[in-house]
Amino acid sequence: ASVATGALEERFEELAARPTGRRGFRTYDLLHVASTQLLDCDTFWSFDQKANALASLEGLKVLNPRKSTPRSS
């Protein structure tokens, strides 16, 4: 699967403009979550705590590969 650059840029800007985008999330976090949303994924997989926090705030189920149970917001 692939994500169009224009769509990713637009979604990134939407996330960055939200209050959640002002909580110290990094560019990588926003891009990772935006890509997940654009690909219509229902579960977000990451070892990164900040990315997981953003994904959870955005309503995605979060699965940290170090743990076995997905969590949702």
Side-chain angles (χ1 to χ4, degrees), residues 18-46:
R18 290 181 184 196
T20 56
R22 298 184 199 122
R23 297 179 101 179
F25 297 114
R26 302 158 299 194
T27 299
Y28 166 82
D29 304 325
L30 295 168
L31 288 173
H32 194 174
V33 170
S35 297
T36 301
Q37 292 173 325
L38 290 172
L39 291 168
D40 292 323
C41 298
D42 62 356
T43 304
F44 183 84
W45 294 64
S46 180

Side-chain angles (χ1 to χ4, degrees), residues 4-20:
T5 305
L8 181 58
E9 184 178 334
E10 185 177 319
R11 186 70 189 127
F12 173 88
E13 290 174 2
E14 289 171 6
L15 286 174
R18 290 181 184 196
T20 56

